Amino acid sequence: MAFDIKMIKSVYESLPQRIKTAKDVLNRPLTLTEKILYAHLSKDEALKDYKRGEDYVNFSPDRVAMQDATAQMALLQLMNSGRQRVAVPTTVHCDHLIQAYKSAKPDLETAEITNKEVFDFLSNVSNKFGIGFWKPGAGIIHQVILENYAFPGGMMIGTDSHTPNAGGLGMIAIGVGGADAVDVMAGMPWELKMPKIIGVKLTGKLSGWASAKDVILKLAGILTVKGGTNAIIEYFGEGTRSLSATGKGTICNMGAEVGATTSIFPYDEKSEEYLIATGRKDIVDVISPVKDYLKADAEIEANPEKYYDRIIEINLNELEPQVNGPFTPDAAHSLSEFAKVVKEKGYPQAMEVGLIGSCTNSSYEDMSRAASIVKDAKEKGVSVKAQFIINPGSEQVRYTAERDGILKEFENAGATIMANACGPCIGQWKRETDNPDRPNSIVTSFNRNFAKRNDGNPNTHAFVSSPEIVAALTIAGDLCFNPMKDTLINDKGEKVMLKEPVGDELPKKGFGVEDLGYAEPIADGSNIEITIDPQSQRLQVLQPFKAWDGKDITDQPLLIKAKGKCTTDHISMAGPWLRFRGHLDNISDNMLIGAVNAFNDKTNSVLNSETGEYEAVPQLAREFKAKGIGSIVVAEENYGEGSSREHAAMEPRFLNVKAIIVKSFARIHETNLKKQGMLALTFVNKDDYDKIREDDKISIIGLADFQPKKNLQVELKHSDGTTETFDVAHTYNQLQIEWFKAGSALNYMKKK
C-alpha cells in the first residue's frame, strides 16, 4: 500500500471540482501545470487569473521532503516555530552525509560513526514532530520519493533543488529553502510567484545510444542556466508517452540546471506501470476516475502557442547523445562534435573516472542499460581503462540490481559500488589521485559540474552525460571516443565496436528489497526532549535574528564584489563543510570563500580598507560584526544559482551582511534571502555594477518607505571624496517586507 493513501484519495476526490471551478473562472482551457496549481491554492486565496511571472500566490502543498544536510537547519527552525507536530506528511532522508571512499559497507559504517550526533538528532526530532525517517543507506532522497511518495496531480516542496524529480510522475514538486518547509510543516500557506510556463513538445521516439538524459542536456543548451527562471517546464506531445517514468524523472530532475521552478510530465501508461511496479496499485485504482484531469486540456496540445509562454520542440528521433561541460551544465555538445571541442579547447583528453548514479540517474533502467555496455565490452575482450564508480539510487534499486546480476557486471569490470547516497555528486568524494590539483577530466551521470563540486579540485574538468555514455567513455578512457562510430582494440588486437545499450525500464521479476531503511515516527512524540550540547561542533541552537532598526543602511563597507558565476557552491561550499550544516556559526566560516573578487581575481581574498591588508571573506565579515558594522555584497548574473541550501542566505545574515546587490538572482536563493530578513536588490542599470569600488562606503536609502514595486537608492561614497547615486530594484511584496522588518519570516510567523 502507498504511503499516505488517505491524503492522496482526498486530493483526487476534490480534484475534478477544483479544476472545473478554475476553468469556469479563468474561462479557458488549462495546462497541466495550471490544473495542479489552481487545485492547490491556499484556502483563503482568491481564485482568479493570476499573472504569470508577476503575482505572488499562496499554495497548500500536500507534503514536504528534506535531505539530511538541509533538514538540520530546517528542523532547528521548526523547533522555534511553536508547532507540536507537522501539519502535512513529511520525511527526512539521510543521503548527503555519507562520503564515498572505499565502498558501500565501510563508507556507511564510517558515516554512521562520524555523523552519529546529527543522525540521532534528525531521528529524534522526526519522532517528536511525526516525520518519517529514512536511515543512512536507504537511498538518495529523490529516487526514494519517486519510488514511494510521488503521485500524479500532487504538490510537494522539498529542501533540495532537485525536488522536481517527482515531476516524472506528474507531480508539481518544487525545491525550496528550509524556512519555506517550516511554513508548510507548521500549517501555514506557502508563497510562490505564479510561474510562467514553458511548453516543451516531444515528438518521435528515442533509439540507439540516445536516452532521456539527452533531452534535458539538449534543453540546457537551449535555455542556459537561467532560461527557466520563474517558469515551470511542461512536457507534452506523443514523445512523452514513450519515455519511462524514471526517464521522465531524470529530465525533470535536471530542470533545476536551467533555473526552472519545476518540470512536469502528464500521467500516462508509463506512470501507471511504474506505480504498480513500486507497490502502489492502490494509487492507480483511485486515479482511474480522474486521470483525464492529469494532463493538459486537448485544446492546449492542439494550439500550444496560445497557452504557453514559450514553445520548444525536440524531435527524439533525431536526438543525439549529449555531453555537457565543463564547469557549467549548460555547455551542451552533441557527441558527434564533442571530440572536436575537446581538442580545440585543450581539455585533458584522458578520461580518468566515470561515475554513474546521483538523484538524476540511478534508477533500475539506468543501471541495466549501462551494465549492458560493460557486459558487451567484456565479452568482446575490451578492458575498462578508467576508474569506475557506481552509486545506486536506493536500497530497493541496489537490492534488485544485485539480485538480477547487474551489479556483478560492474564489479567484474573493476567498478566500485558505493553506498546508496549522493557521494561524489555533492563533493562527498574522498578521491585518491597522484596529484589533487592536476588538470584532469571525469564524466558523470550527475546534474551539476561547477568547479570543485565533485572532488574539490578546480582543475577537474567534469562533464555530464547519460549513464550509457559514461559507461562507454569509461571503457575507452578517452573523451574523444564516440561509441556510435569508433572502434576499440580488444585483448586480441582486434578492432571492435560496442553494441547499442539495452535494458529494462522495470525489473522483469519485480522489485525486491529486504529492508527499505524506513522508520515510522511514533504516534505521540510530545514527551521527547531534544537536547543539543552547547559544546557541539555539529549542532547549534538557533537564535532569532534581530528585527530591522527602522533606519536606512548607511556607510557600510563593501565585503566583496564577486565576479562571474557565483553559485551556492561558491557562497557556501558543500563537501567537507556539510558536517557543519546544523551549526550556523561554524559553517559561516565558508561564506563566499569560493567567490572571485572582481578587484584581484582571487578567491577568499578581500580588502580591509582600514588596514590595507587582504583577508579571508568570513574573517573580515566577523571583524566588521565585532565592531557593530555591517557590510554589502555585490555580484553579477544569476547569483545563488544551484543548490537550494539556505545556508548561503543564513551565513551572510549571521555575519551581519546588510544587503546583496546583484544583476540578477536565481529563484530559490532570492526567496531564501527574503526569508532570512536580508535585502535582496538588483541593479536597475546593470552597468552600475562597474561603479562600485573596492573601498567604497555604501548606503541604501528609502527603507522608511519600503514598498512593493518602489525602487530604493544606493549611494556610493568613494575614497576620493566623490559620490554616486543610482536606483536598485526589488521584488518584495508586502508580506516579504514584513519579514524584513521582523528580522526573518520565522520571527514574523511567531509574532503572528
Side-chain angles (χ1 to χ4, degrees):
M1 178 180 285
F3 286 93
D4 309 307
I5 188 64
K6 288 183 179 179
M7 177 269 286
I8 295 170
K9 286 180 178 178
S10 176
V11 170
Y12 291 146
E13 286 168 1
S14 64
L15 198 65
Q17 186 56 50
R18 286 175 180 261
I19 292 174
K20 181 181 183 303
T21 303
K23 290 177 70 171
D24 288 345
V25 171
L26 274 57
N27 195 30
R28 58 176 169 79
L30 297 182
T31 63
L32 173 58
T33 296
E34 290 173 311
K35 289 179 180 181
I36 300 175
L37 289 179
Y38 278 98
H40 284 84
L41 290 177
S42 182
K43 63 180 180 180
D44 296 324
E45 197 74 353
L47 204 171
K48 64 178 185 178
D49 197 353
Y50 289 100
K51 292 182 180 177
R52 298 178 188 172
E54 294 185 25
D55 291 340
Y56 284 95
V57 188
N58 286 322
F59 295 98
S60 294
D62 300 310
R63 67 177 311 113
V64 173
M66 298 174 282
Q67 38 93 336
D68 50 354
T70 53
Q72 295 171 63
M73 200 58 71
L75 294 180
L76 286 165
Q77 292 175 84
L78 179 65
M79 289 165 59
N80 284 344
S81 70
R83 187 83 188 183
Q84 298 300 309
R85 200 167 181 86
V86 290
V88 301
T90 302
T91 51
V92 166
H93 304 257
C94 296
D95 63 357
H96 273 55
L97 298 179
I98 304 166
Q99 187 180 57
Y101 177 37
K102 295 180 179 178
S103 62
K105 189 174 185 292
D107 290 353
L108 186 57
E109 290 172 350
T110 299
E112 288 175 331
I113 294 169
T114 58
N115 300 304
K116 185 178 187 305
E117 180 185 13
V118 172
F119 291 150
D120 286 350
F121 168 77
L122 295 174
S123 176
N124 289 337
V125 177
S126 294
N127 257 332
K128 183 173 182 64
F129 289 94
I131 296 169
F133 182 71
W134 290 79
K135 302 171 189 177
I140 304 172
I141 176 172
H142 309 302
Q143 181 67 28
V144 173
I145 290 290
L146 197 70
E147 292 175 8
N148 296 278
Y149 296 109
F151 67 97
M155 186 178 192
M156 176 180 77
I157 62 170
T159 60
D160 189 281
S161 54
H162 294 101
T163 300
N165 192 79
L169 266 183
M171 190 175 205
I172 291 285
I174 299 175
V176 299
D180 280 339
V182 172
D183 282 351
V184 177
M185 289 188 288
M188 304 281 287
W190 174 64
E191 183 186 67
L192 176 73
K193 183 181 285 185
M194 182 61 80
K196 294 183 178 181
I197 308 175
I198 298 172
V200 177
K201 183 177 182 180
L202 300 182
T203 60
K205 187 176 182 179
L206 294 169
S207 62
W209 284 87
S211 75
K213 182 67 165 276
D214 298 308
V215 175
I216 187 59
L217 293 175
K218 177 76 173 179
L219 188 63
I222 296 169
L223 286 174
T224 77
V225 290
K226 64 175 188 173
T229 303
N230 290 323
I232 289 179
I233 300 173
E234 181 172 316
Y235 293 86
F236 68 99
E238 80 273 10
T240 64
R241 294 185 278 279
S242 65
L243 298 172
S244 68
T246 52
K248 292 169 185 171
T250 291
I251 294 168
C252 292
N253 176 295
M254 206 176 151
E257 272 49 72
V258 299
T261 301
T262 192
S263 303
I264 192 167
F265 277 85
Y267 179 76
D268 58 21
E269 288 184 6
K270 297 289 189 180
S271 316
E272 185 174 301
E273 290 170 3
Y274 187 73
L275 285 168
I276 293 171
T278 51
R280 293 175 285 173
K281 186 176 182 299
D282 46 350
I283 294 181
V284 173
D285 292 340
V286 295
I287 242 179
S288 294
V290 299
K291 64 181 181 181
D292 287 343
Y293 293 93
L294 299 175
K295 59 185 178 181
D297 287 336
E299 298 94 327
I300 304 289
E301 194 156 335
N303 299 287
E305 65 284 347
K306 290 177 60 177
Y307 303 103
Y308 294 113
D309 296 287
R310 179 178 177 181
I311 303 289
I312 297 168
E313 187 167 335
I314 296 176
N315 185 340
L316 302 182
N317 291 332
E318 300 172 356
L319 186 63
E320 249 194 81
Q322 306 286 304
V323 184
N324 289 24
F327 308 128
T328 184
D330 59 346
H333 315 286
S334 62
L335 187 60
S336 60
E337 68 179 11
F338 184 56
K340 180 182 177 184
V341 172
V342 169
K343 291 173 180 175
E344 287 179 350
K345 299 286 188 180
Y347 299 143
Q349 185 173 334
M351 206 284 268
E352 299 191 15
V353 191
L355 303 108
I356 292 176
S358 88
C359 61
T360 318
N361 279 109
S362 55
S363 67
Y364 185 88
E365 179 183 23
D366 293 327
M367 296 292 172
S368 65
R369 282 174 62 86
S372 77
I373 299 164
V374 173
K375 181 181 179 183
D376 179 56
K378 185 184 178 189
E379 290 173 349
K380 289 174 176 171
V382 178
S383 60
V384 175
K385 304 298 189 298
Q387 185 183 359
F388 210 175
I389 293 175
I390 310 293
N391 282 79
S394 69
E395 176 57 17
Q396 183 165 262
V397 165
R398 188 213 63 79
Y399 182 95
T400 308
E402 182 179 54
R403 181 200 68 192
D404 294 350
I406 291 172
L407 295 190
K408 196 66 178 173
E409 295 292 349
F410 288 124
E411 290 173 327
N412 289 342
T416 301
I417 310 300
M418 296 295 185
N420 312 320
C422 303
C425 182
I426 58 165
Q428 284 285 58
W429 180 20
K430 189 175 180 180
R431 184 180 179 188
E432 292 185 325
T433 176
D434 57 343
N435 181 348
D437 299 317
R438 177 175 49 79
N440 69 99
S441 293
I442 66 173
V443 183
T444 81
S445 71
F446 304 164
N447 39 50
R448 292 191 176 132
N449 55 352
F450 305 138
K452 302 203 290 189
R453 180 171 174 91
N454 303 124
D455 62 1
N457 180 2
N459 298 304
T460 293
H461 295 61
F463 298 89
V464 178
S465 195
S466 67
E468 296 90 336
I469 297 302
V470 173
L473 295 182
T474 305
I475 292 164
D478 184 353
L479 282 186
C480 293
F481 175 66
N482 181 348
M484 295 192 299
K485 67 179 184 65
D486 295 340
T487 58
L488 295 168
I489 304 298
N490 70 6
D491 54 9
K492 297 178 181 177
E494 301 166 332
K495 290 182 178 181
V496 297
M497 285 190 73
L498 297 176
K499 285 183 182 177
E500 293 177 350
V502 293
D504 296 320
E505 293 179 7
L506 298 166
K508 289 185 174 69
K509 294 187 286 186
F511 283 106
V513 68
E514 290 181 349
D515 180 8
L516 280 174
Y518 173 71
E520 183 83 19
I522 61 176
D524 181 5
S526 58
N527 292 325
I528 294 177
E529 293 293 327
I530 307 298
T531 57
I532 296 174
D533 183 354
Q535 303 304 313
S536 172
Q537 295 301 299
R538 299 290 301 270
L539 297 166
Q540 182 184 49
V541 174
L542 278 180
Q543 300 300 322
F545 293 129
K546 291 182 179 179
W548 176 54
D549 64 6
K551 301 175 183 177
D552 283 340
I553 295 168
T554 56
D555 296 332
Q556 302 294 299
L558 175 73
L559 181 62
I560 186 171
K561 180 178 175 179
K563 173 184 177 183
K565 187 183 282 286
C566 195
T567 72
T568 49
D569 277 359
H570 296 87
I571 305 166
S572 176
M573 289 184 179
W577 291 95
L578 283 172
R579 67 186 186 275
F580 297 132
R581 284 285 182 88
H583 198 294
L584 184 54
D585 195 351
N586 282 349
I587 200 169
S588 292
D589 282 334
N590 79 1
M591 184 188 74
L592 285 159
I593 63 175
V596 177
N597 183 352
F599 298 106
N600 62 7
D601 286 332
K602 295 181 179 180
T603 59
N604 206 23
S605 175
V606 289
L607 178 69
N608 182 334
S609 57
E610 297 295 318
T611 65
E613 300 292 323
Y614 281 86
E615 301 179 11
V617 183
Q619 177 185 331
L620 183 57
R622 287 186 186 277
E623 289 173 19
F624 288 150
K625 181 180 179 181
K627 296 176 182 178
I629 302 170
S631 59
I632 306 293
V633 170
V634 173
E636 296 200 72
E637 299 282 5
N638 210 29
Y639 181 80
E641 168 193 344
S643 168
S644 69
R645 66 191 68 151
E646 66 182 341
H647 300 76
M650 296 185 81
E651 292 171 34
R653 184 76 170 95
F654 179 73
L655 294 183
N656 211 27
V657 173
K658 298 297 185 183
I660 313 287
I661 310 173
V662 302
K663 294 181 180 179
S664 65
F665 284 104
R667 176 191 64 84
I668 298 176
H669 188 63
E670 183 179 22
T671 300
N672 286 345
L673 289 168
K674 292 176 179 180
K675 286 277 184 176
Q676 300 304 332
M678 286 284 291
L679 273 180
L681 307 172
T682 55
F683 295 103
V684 172
N685 180 351
K686 294 183 180 183
D687 291 340
D688 289 337
Y689 167 90
D690 299 321
K691 295 177 180 176
I692 294 165
R693 303 178 190 174
E694 195 169 19
D695 55 359
D696 278 348
K697 291 292 187 289
I698 304 172
S699 299
I700 298 171
I701 311 299
L703 289 173
D705 191 29
F706 194 7
Q707 296 179 31
K709 299 182 180 180
K710 182 177 182 181
N711 290 347
L712 298 170
Q713 273 198 328
V714 166
E715 181 184 81
L716 306 177
K717 290 183 181 177
H718 302 311
S719 57
D720 61 8
T722 61
T723 62
E724 293 185 79
T725 302
F726 53 81
D727 277 8
V728 285
H730 66 84
T731 61
Y732 288 75
N733 60 24
Q734 193 56 52
L735 175 62
Q736 294 165 349
I737 290 171
E738 295 303 320
W739 297 344
F740 168 75
K741 291 178 178 178
S744 70
L746 186 59
N747 288 357
Y748 178 76
M749 182 174 73
K750 289 176 70 176
K751 187 171 70 173
K752 293 289 285 185

